[in-house]
PDB file of all heavy atoms in Angstrom:
ATOM      1  N   GLN A  84       0.824  -1.211   0.000  1.00 94.00           N
ATOM      2  CA  GLN A  84       0.000   0.000   0.000  1.00 94.00           C
ATOM      3  C   GLN A  84       0.857   1.258   0.000  1.00 94.00           C
ATOM      4  O   GLN A  84       0.552   2.224  -0.709  1.00 94.00           O
ATOM      5  CB  GLN A  84      -0.943  -0.009   1.194  1.00 94.00           C
ATOM      6  CG  GLN A  84      -2.022  -1.077   1.114  1.00 94.00           C
ATOM      7  CD  GLN A  84      -2.882  -1.120   2.350  1.00 94.00           C
ATOM      8  OE1 GLN A  84      -3.110  -0.109   2.998  1.00 94.00           O
ATOM      9  NE2 GLN A  84      -3.344  -2.305   2.710  1.00 94.00           N
ATOM     10  N   ARG A  85       1.924   1.259   0.790  1.00 94.00           N
ATOM     11  CA  ARG A  85       2.804   2.430   0.830  1.00 94.00           C
ATOM     12  C   ARG A  85       3.450   2.664  -0.539  1.00 94.00           C
ATOM     13  O   ARG A  85       3.529   3.792  -1.026  1.00 94.00           O
ATOM     14  CB  ARG A  85       3.886   2.235   1.901  1.00 94.00           C
ATOM     15  CG  ARG A  85       3.416   2.550   3.310  1.00 94.00           C
ATOM     16  CD  ARG A  85       4.581   2.585   4.291  1.00 94.00           C
ATOM     17  NE  ARG A  85       5.142   1.258   4.511  1.00 94.00           N
ATOM     18  CZ  ARG A  85       4.701   0.415   5.445  1.00 94.00           C
ATOM     19  NH1 ARG A  85       3.693   0.770   6.237  1.00 94.00           N
ATOM     20  NH2 ARG A  85       5.260  -0.768   5.595  1.00 94.00           N
ATOM     21  N   THR A  86       3.882   1.581  -1.156  1.00 95.00           N
ATOM     22  CA  THR A  86       4.522   1.684  -2.468  1.00 95.00           C
ATOM     23  C   THR A  86       3.545   2.207  -3.518  1.00 95.00           C
ATOM     24  O   THR A  86       3.859   3.123  -4.281  1.00 95.00           O
ATOM     25  CB  THR A  86       5.065   0.304  -2.903  1.00 95.00           C
ATOM     26  OG1 THR A  86       6.002  -0.155  -1.934  1.00 95.00           O
ATOM     27  CG2 THR A  86       5.733   0.381  -4.260  1.00 95.00           C
ATOM     28  N   ILE A  87       2.352   1.618  -3.553  1.00 96.00           N
ATOM     29  CA  ILE A  87       1.359   2.002  -4.559  1.00 96.00           C
ATOM     30  C   ILE A  87       0.881   3.433  -4.331  1.00 96.00           C
ATOM     31  O   ILE A  87       0.671   4.194  -5.283  1.00 96.00           O
ATOM     32  CB  ILE A  87       0.181   1.002  -4.553  1.00 96.00           C
ATOM     33  CG1 ILE A  87       0.667  -0.365  -5.053  1.00 96.00           C
ATOM     34  CG2 ILE A  87      -0.966   1.505  -5.429  1.00 96.00           C
ATOM     35  CD1 ILE A  87      -0.331  -1.491  -4.882  1.00 96.00           C
ATOM     36  N   SER A  88       0.728   3.846  -3.069  1.00 95.00           N
ATOM     37  CA  SER A  88       0.317   5.223  -2.774  1.00 95.00           C
ATOM     38  C   SER A  88       1.317   6.226  -3.326  1.00 95.00           C
ATOM     39  O   SER A  88       0.940   7.297  -3.822  1.00 95.00           O
ATOM     40  CB  SER A  88       0.166   5.425  -1.266  1.00 95.00           C
ATOM     41  OG  SER A  88      -0.984   4.764  -0.793  1.00 95.00           O
ATOM     42  N   ALA A  89       2.589   5.896  -3.255  1.00 95.00           N
ATOM     43  CA  ALA A  89       3.619   6.789  -3.803  1.00 95.00           C
ATOM     44  C   ALA A  89       3.475   6.900  -5.324  1.00 95.00           C
ATOM     45  O   ALA A  89       3.618   7.993  -5.898  1.00 95.00           O
ATOM     46  CB  ALA A  89       5.007   6.268  -3.439  1.00 95.00           C
ATOM     47  N   TYR A  90       3.187   5.782  -5.973  1.00 96.00           N
ATOM     48  CA  TYR A  90       2.974   5.820  -7.424  1.00 96.00           C
ATOM     49  C   TYR A  90       1.741   6.648  -7.779  1.00 96.00           C
ATOM     50  O   TYR A  90       1.744   7.397  -8.765  1.00 96.00           O
ATOM     51  CB  TYR A  90       2.827   4.394  -7.975  1.00 96.00           C
ATOM     52  CG  TYR A  90       4.081   3.560  -7.909  1.00 96.00           C
ATOM     53  CD1 TYR A  90       4.032   2.231  -7.500  1.00 96.00           C
ATOM     54  CD2 TYR A  90       5.312   4.090  -8.267  1.00 96.00           C
ATOM     55  CE1 TYR A  90       5.180   1.451  -7.440  1.00 96.00           C
ATOM     56  CE2 TYR A  90       6.472   3.320  -8.215  1.00 96.00           C
ATOM     57  CZ  TYR A  90       6.398   2.009  -7.789  1.00 96.00           C
ATOM     58  OH  TYR A  90       7.532   1.242  -7.740  1.00 96.00           O
ATOM     59  N   ILE A  91       0.688   6.517  -6.988  1.00 96.00           N
ATOM     60  CA  ILE A  91      -0.533   7.293  -7.238  1.00 96.00           C
ATOM     61  C   ILE A  91      -0.233   8.792  -7.156  1.00 96.00           C
ATOM     62  O   ILE A  91      -0.677   9.582  -7.999  1.00 96.00           O
ATOM     63  CB  ILE A  91      -1.635   6.909  -6.222  1.00 96.00           C
ATOM     64  CG1 ILE A  91      -2.140   5.485  -6.482  1.00 96.00           C
ATOM     65  CG2 ILE A  91      -2.803   7.893  -6.293  1.00 96.00           C
ATOM     66  CD1 ILE A  91      -3.088   4.962  -5.425  1.00 96.00           C
ATOM     67  N   LYS A  92       0.517   9.210  -6.146  1.00 95.00           N
ATOM     68  CA  LYS A  92       0.860  10.631  -5.986  1.00 95.00           C
ATOM     69  C   LYS A  92       1.671  11.147  -7.167  1.00 95.00           C
ATOM     70  O   LYS A  92       1.480  12.266  -7.635  1.00 95.00           O
ATOM     71  CB  LYS A  92       1.643  10.832  -4.681  1.00 95.00           C
ATOM     72  CG  LYS A  92       0.788  10.670  -3.434  1.00 95.00           C
ATOM     73  CD  LYS A  92       1.622  10.762  -2.168  1.00 95.00           C
ATOM     74  CE  LYS A  92       0.748  10.536  -0.933  1.00 95.00           C
ATOM     75  NZ  LYS A  92       1.551  10.484   0.312  1.00 95.00           N
ATOM     76  N   THR A  93       2.568  10.310  -7.672  1.00 96.00           N
ATOM     77  CA  THR A  93       3.380  10.700  -8.830  1.00 96.00           C
ATOM     78  C   THR A  93       2.518  10.924 -10.063  1.00 96.00           C
ATOM     79  O   THR A  93       2.677  11.916 -10.784  1.00 96.00           O
ATOM     80  CB  THR A  93       4.441   9.613  -9.119  1.00 96.00           C
ATOM     81  OG1 THR A  93       5.243   9.425  -7.961  1.00 96.00           O
ATOM     82  CG2 THR A  93       5.320  10.011 -10.287  1.00 96.00           C
ATOM     83  N   VAL A  94       1.599   9.983 -10.313  1.00 97.00           N
ATOM     84  CA  VAL A  94       0.711  10.097 -11.474  1.00 97.00           C
ATOM     85  C   VAL A  94      -0.231  11.299 -11.311  1.00 97.00           C
ATOM     86  O   VAL A  94      -0.459  12.057 -12.259  1.00 97.00           O
ATOM     87  CB  VAL A  94      -0.091   8.789 -11.665  1.00 97.00           C
ATOM     88  CG1 VAL A  94      -1.218   8.982 -12.670  1.00 97.00           C
ATOM     89  CG2 VAL A  94       0.837   7.663 -12.112  1.00 97.00           C
ATOM     90  N   ASP A  95      -0.769  11.489 -10.110  1.00 96.00           N
ATOM     91  CA  ASP A  95      -1.663  12.616  -9.850  1.00 96.00           C
ATOM     92  C   ASP A  95      -0.957  13.940 -10.140  1.00 96.00           C
ATOM     93  O   ASP A  95      -1.520  14.832 -10.789  1.00 96.00           O
ATOM     94  CB  ASP A  95      -2.130  12.566  -8.399  1.00 96.00           C
ATOM     95  CG  ASP A  95      -3.158  13.628  -8.078  1.00 96.00           C
ATOM     96  OD1 ASP A  95      -4.267  13.556  -8.640  1.00 96.00           O
ATOM     97  OD2 ASP A  95      -2.845  14.538  -7.271  1.00 96.00           O
ATOM     98  N   ALA A  96       0.279  14.068  -9.664  1.00 96.00           N
ATOM     99  CA  ALA A  96       1.042  15.298  -9.886  1.00 96.00           C
ATOM    100  C   ALA A  96       1.300  15.528 -11.371  1.00 96.00           C
ATOM    101  O   ALA A  96       1.224  16.661 -11.869  1.00 96.00           O
ATOM    102  CB  ALA A  96       2.367  15.229  -9.116  1.00 96.00           C
ATOM    103  N   ALA A  97       1.594  14.446 -12.108  1.00 97.00           N
ATOM    104  CA  ALA A  97       1.858  14.558 -13.548  1.00 97.00           C
ATOM    105  C   ALA A  97       0.609  15.023 -14.299  1.00 97.00           C
ATOM    106  O   ALA A  97       0.684  15.864 -15.210  1.00 97.00           O
ATOM    107  CB  ALA A  97       2.345  13.227 -14.097  1.00 97.00           C
ATOM    108  N   LEU A  98      -0.547  14.510 -13.923  1.00 97.00           N
ATOM    109  CA  LEU A  98      -1.796  14.921 -14.569  1.00 97.00           C
ATOM    110  C   LEU A  98      -2.097  16.388 -14.276  1.00 97.00           C
ATOM    111  O   LEU A  98      -2.412  17.171 -15.186  1.00 97.00           O
ATOM    112  CB  LEU A  98      -2.954  14.041 -14.073  1.00 97.00           C
ATOM    113  CG  LEU A  98      -2.949  12.575 -14.530  1.00 97.00           C
ATOM    114  CD1 LEU A  98      -3.966  11.762 -13.750  1.00 97.00           C
ATOM    115  CD2 LEU A  98      -3.236  12.472 -16.025  1.00 97.00           C
ATOM    116  N   ARG A  99      -2.003  16.756 -13.004  1.00 96.00           N
ATOM    117  CA  ARG A  99      -2.298  18.140 -12.630  1.00 96.00           C
ATOM    118  C   ARG A  99      -1.293  19.110 -13.227  1.00 96.00           C
ATOM    119  O   ARG A  99      -1.639  20.255 -13.549  1.00 96.00           O
ATOM    120  CB  ARG A  99      -2.331  18.269 -11.104  1.00 96.00           C
ATOM    121  CG  ARG A  99      -3.482  17.496 -10.458  1.00 96.00           C
ATOM    122  CD  ARG A  99      -3.506  17.645  -8.949  1.00 96.00           C
ATOM    123  NE  ARG A  99      -4.480  16.760  -8.339  1.00 96.00           N
ATOM    124  CZ  ARG A  99      -5.789  17.016  -8.264  1.00 96.00           C
ATOM    125  NH1 ARG A  99      -6.264  18.149  -8.769  1.00 96.00           N
ATOM    126  NH2 ARG A  99      -6.607  16.161  -7.695  1.00 96.00           N
ATOM    127  N   GLY A 100      -0.057  18.656 -13.390  1.00 95.00           N
ATOM    128  CA  GLY A 100       0.969  19.495 -14.003  1.00 95.00           C
ATOM    129  C   GLY A 100       0.672  19.839 -15.449  1.00 95.00           C
ATOM    130  O   GLY A 100       1.228  20.784 -16.005  1.00 95.00           O
ATOM    131  N   ARG A 101      -0.211  19.060 -16.069  1.00 94.00           N
ATOM    132  CA  ARG A 101      -0.638  19.329 -17.454  1.00 94.00           C
ATOM    133  C   ARG A 101      -2.052  19.897 -17.508  1.00 94.00           C
ATOM    134  O   ARG A 101      -2.732  19.821 -18.528  1.00 94.00           O
ATOM    135  CB  ARG A 101      -0.546  18.036 -18.278  1.00 94.00           C
ATOM    136  CG  ARG A 101       0.893  17.630 -18.563  1.00 94.00           C
ATOM    137  CD  ARG A 101       0.993  16.184 -19.001  1.00 94.00           C
ATOM    138  NE  ARG A 101       2.355  15.811 -19.377  1.00 94.00           N
ATOM    139  CZ  ARG A 101       3.339  15.578 -18.520  1.00 94.00           C
ATOM    140  NH1 ARG A 101       3.104  15.682 -17.222  1.00 94.00           N
ATOM    141  NH2 ARG A 101       4.546  15.252 -18.934  1.00 94.00           N
ATOM    142  N   ASN A 102      -2.498  20.418 -16.362  1.00 95.00           N
ATOM    143  CA  ASN A 102      -3.843  21.010 -16.245  1.00 95.00           C
ATOM    144  C   ASN A 102      -4.952  20.021 -16.577  1.00 95.00           C
ATOM    145  O   ASN A 102      -5.985  20.385 -17.143  1.00 95.00           O
ATOM    146  CB  ASN A 102      -3.967  22.260 -17.143  1.00 95.00           C
ATOM    147  CG  ASN A 102      -3.050  23.380 -16.686  1.00 95.00           C
ATOM    148  OD1 ASN A 102      -2.926  23.627 -15.492  1.00 95.00           O
ATOM    149  ND2 ASN A 102      -2.409  24.037 -17.639  1.00 95.00           N
ATOM    150  N   LEU A 103      -4.719  18.758 -16.238  1.00 95.00           N
ATOM    151  CA  LEU A 103      -5.729  17.722 -16.415  1.00 95.00           C
ATOM    152  C   LEU A 103      -6.314  17.356 -15.055  1.00 95.00           C
ATOM    153  O   LEU A 103      -5.750  17.694 -14.011  1.00 95.00           O
ATOM    154  CB  LEU A 103      -5.106  16.481 -17.058  1.00 95.00           C
ATOM    155  CG  LEU A 103      -4.498  16.677 -18.448  1.00 95.00           C
ATOM    156  CD1 LEU A 103      -3.691  15.456 -18.864  1.00 95.00           C
ATOM    157  CD2 LEU A 103      -5.590  16.970 -19.470  1.00 95.00           C
ATOM    158  N   THR A 104      -7.434  16.666 -15.066  1.00 91.00           N
ATOM    159  CA  THR A 104      -8.037  16.213 -13.817  1.00 91.00           C
ATOM    160  C   THR A 104      -7.142  15.180 -13.154  1.00 91.00           C
ATOM    161  O   THR A 104      -6.681  14.235 -13.800  1.00 91.00           O
ATOM    162  CB  THR A 104      -9.421  15.582 -14.096  1.00 91.00           C
ATOM    163  OG1 THR A 104     -10.228  16.534 -14.785  1.00 91.00           O
ATOM    164  CG2 THR A 104     -10.108  15.187 -12.792  1.00 91.00           C
ATOM    165  N   GLY A 105      -6.880  15.357 -11.849  1.00 93.00           N
ATOM    166  CA  GLY A 105      -6.068  14.396 -11.118  1.00 93.00           C
ATOM    167  C   GLY A 105      -6.802  13.085 -10.931  1.00 93.00           C
ATOM    168  O   GLY A 105      -7.940  12.918 -11.370  1.00 93.00           O
ATOM    169  N   VAL A 106      -6.148  12.146 -10.265  1.00 93.00           N
ATOM    170  CA  VAL A 106      -6.774  10.838 -10.060  1.00 93.00           C
ATOM    171  C   VAL A 106      -7.976  10.975  -9.134  1.00 93.00           C
ATOM    172  O   VAL A 106      -7.995  11.849  -8.257  1.00 93.00           O
ATOM    173  CB  VAL A 106      -5.771   9.817  -9.481  1.00 93.00           C
ATOM    174  CG1 VAL A 106      -4.586   9.636 -10.389  1.00 93.00           C
ATOM    175  CG2 VAL A 106      -5.327  10.214  -8.082  1.00 93.00           C
ATOM    176  N   PRO A 107      -9.008  10.153  -9.311  1.00 91.00           N
ATOM    177  CA  PRO A 107     -10.179  10.207  -8.427  1.00 91.00           C
ATOM    178  C   PRO A 107      -9.810   9.981  -6.968  1.00 91.00           C
ATOM    179  O   PRO A 107      -8.833   9.287  -6.658  1.00 91.00           O
ATOM    180  CB  PRO A 107     -11.068   9.066  -8.956  1.00 91.00           C
ATOM    181  CG  PRO A 107     -10.667   8.910 -10.391  1.00 91.00           C
ATOM    182  CD  PRO A 107      -9.194   9.197 -10.426  1.00 91.00           C
ATOM    183  N   ASP A 108     -10.595  10.554  -6.070  1.00 87.00           N
ATOM    184  CA  ASP A 108     -10.319  10.488  -4.633  1.00 87.00           C
ATOM    185  C   ASP A 108     -10.283   9.062  -4.104  1.00 87.00           C
ATOM    186  O   ASP A 108      -9.559   8.770  -3.149  1.00 87.00           O
ATOM    187  CB  ASP A 108     -11.355  11.294  -3.843  1.00 87.00           C
ATOM    188  CG  ASP A 108     -11.226  12.792  -4.099  1.00 87.00           C
ATOM    189  OD1 ASP A 108     -10.131  13.216  -4.530  1.00 87.00           O
ATOM    190  OD2 ASP A 108     -12.204  13.518  -3.873  1.00 87.00           O
ATOM    191  N   ASP A 109     -11.073   8.160  -4.710  1.00 85.00           N
ATOM    192  CA  ASP A 109     -11.162   6.820  -4.146  1.00 85.00           C
ATOM    193  C   ASP A 109      -9.928   5.963  -4.423  1.00 85.00           C
ATOM    194  O   ASP A 109      -9.871   4.801  -4.053  1.00 85.00           O
ATOM    195  CB  ASP A 109     -12.433   6.096  -4.602  1.00 85.00           C
ATOM    196  CG  ASP A 109     -12.456   5.847  -6.101  1.00 85.00           C
ATOM    197  OD1 ASP A 109     -11.485   6.212  -6.791  1.00 85.00           O
ATOM    198  OD2 ASP A 109     -13.449   5.272  -6.590  1.00 85.00           O
ATOM    199  N   TYR A 110      -8.906   6.538  -5.066  1.00 88.00           N
ATOM    200  CA  TYR A 110      -7.646   5.815  -5.219  1.00 88.00           C
ATOM    201  C   TYR A 110      -6.925   5.686  -3.875  1.00 88.00           C
ATOM    202  O   TYR A 110      -6.109   4.800  -3.704  1.00 88.00           O
ATOM    203  CB  TYR A 110      -6.713   6.543  -6.188  1.00 88.00           C
ATOM    204  CG  TYR A 110      -7.027   6.344  -7.648  1.00 88.00           C
ATOM    205  CD1 TYR A 110      -8.307   6.013  -8.090  1.00 88.00           C
ATOM    206  CD2 TYR A 110      -6.037   6.502  -8.613  1.00 88.00           C
ATOM    207  CE1 TYR A 110      -8.588   5.851  -9.416  1.00 88.00           C
ATOM    208  CE2 TYR A 110      -6.314   6.354  -9.959  1.00 88.00           C
ATOM    209  CZ  TYR A 110      -7.590   6.027 -10.367  1.00 88.00           C
ATOM    210  OH  TYR A 110      -7.864   5.866 -11.692  1.00 88.00           O
ATOM    211  N   TYR A 111      -7.213   6.607  -2.930  1.00 77.00           N
ATOM    212  CA  TYR A 111      -6.582   6.589  -1.601  1.00 77.00           C
ATOM    213  C   TYR A 111      -7.644   6.352  -0.563  1.00 77.00           C
ATOM    214  O   TYR A 111      -8.768   6.813  -0.722  1.00 77.00           O
ATOM    215  CB  TYR A 111      -5.948   7.932  -1.239  1.00 77.00           C
ATOM    216  CG  TYR A 111      -5.063   8.591  -2.209  1.00 77.00           C
ATOM    217  CD1 TYR A 111      -5.571   9.482  -3.146  1.00 77.00           C
ATOM    218  CD2 TYR A 111      -3.695   8.381  -2.174  1.00 77.00           C
ATOM    219  CE1 TYR A 111      -4.735  10.156  -4.019  1.00 77.00           C
ATOM    220  CE2 TYR A 111      -2.855   9.063  -3.043  1.00 77.00           C
ATOM    221  CZ  TYR A 111      -3.377   9.954  -3.958  1.00 77.00           C
ATOM    222  OH  TYR A 111      -2.548  10.616  -4.803  1.00 77.00           O
ATOM    223  N   PRO A 112      -7.246   5.980   0.656  1.00 66.00           N
ATOM    224  CA  PRO A 112      -6.216   4.965   0.864  1.00 66.00           C
ATOM    225  C   PRO A 112      -6.897   3.617   0.828  1.00 66.00           C
ATOM    226  O   PRO A 112      -8.110   3.544   0.630  1.00 66.00           O
ATOM    227  CB  PRO A 112      -5.719   5.298   2.289  1.00 66.00           C
ATOM    228  CG  PRO A 112      -6.954   5.785   2.988  1.00 66.00           C
ATOM    229  CD  PRO A 112      -7.791   6.482   1.933  1.00 66.00           C
ATOM    230  N   ARG A 113      -6.179   2.570   1.071  1.00 57.00           N
ATOM    231  CA  ARG A 113      -6.823   1.244   1.123  1.00 57.00           C
ATOM    232  C   ARG A 113      -7.662   1.166   2.375  1.00 57.00           C
ATOM    233  O   ARG A 113      -7.277   1.655   3.422  1.00 57.00           O
ATOM    234  CB  ARG A 113      -5.754   0.145   1.161  1.00 57.00           C
ATOM    235  CG  ARG A 113      -5.006  -0.004  -0.153  1.00 57.00           C
ATOM    236  CD  ARG A 113      -5.887  -0.470  -1.280  1.00 57.00           C
ATOM    237  NE  ARG A 113      -6.432  -1.787  -1.029  1.00 57.00           N
ATOM    238  CZ  ARG A 113      -7.442  -2.306  -1.691  1.00 57.00           C
ATOM    239  NH1 ARG A 113      -8.051  -1.626  -2.610  1.00 57.00           N
ATOM    240  NH2 ARG A 113      -7.860  -3.519  -1.416  1.00 57.00           N
TER     241      ARG A 113
END
């Protein structure tokens, strides 16, 4: 869970950095 949460944050930041919608809220936490 800790590992996957870090990956989720990375992807979320990349999406928002391109002015796109970030990952849905239900991706966190388990």
Side-chain angles (χ1 to χ4, degrees):
Q84 292 176 31
R85 279 190 291 272
T86 301
I87 293 170
S88 288
Y90 292 137
I91 291 172
K92 289 175 182 174
T93 303
V94 168
D95 185 66
L98 290 168
R99 294 181 188 279
R101 288 163 176 76
N102 295 318
L103 299 169
T104 304
V106 301
D108 292 339
D109 64 1
Y110 281 25
Y111 311 90
R113 290 295 297 165

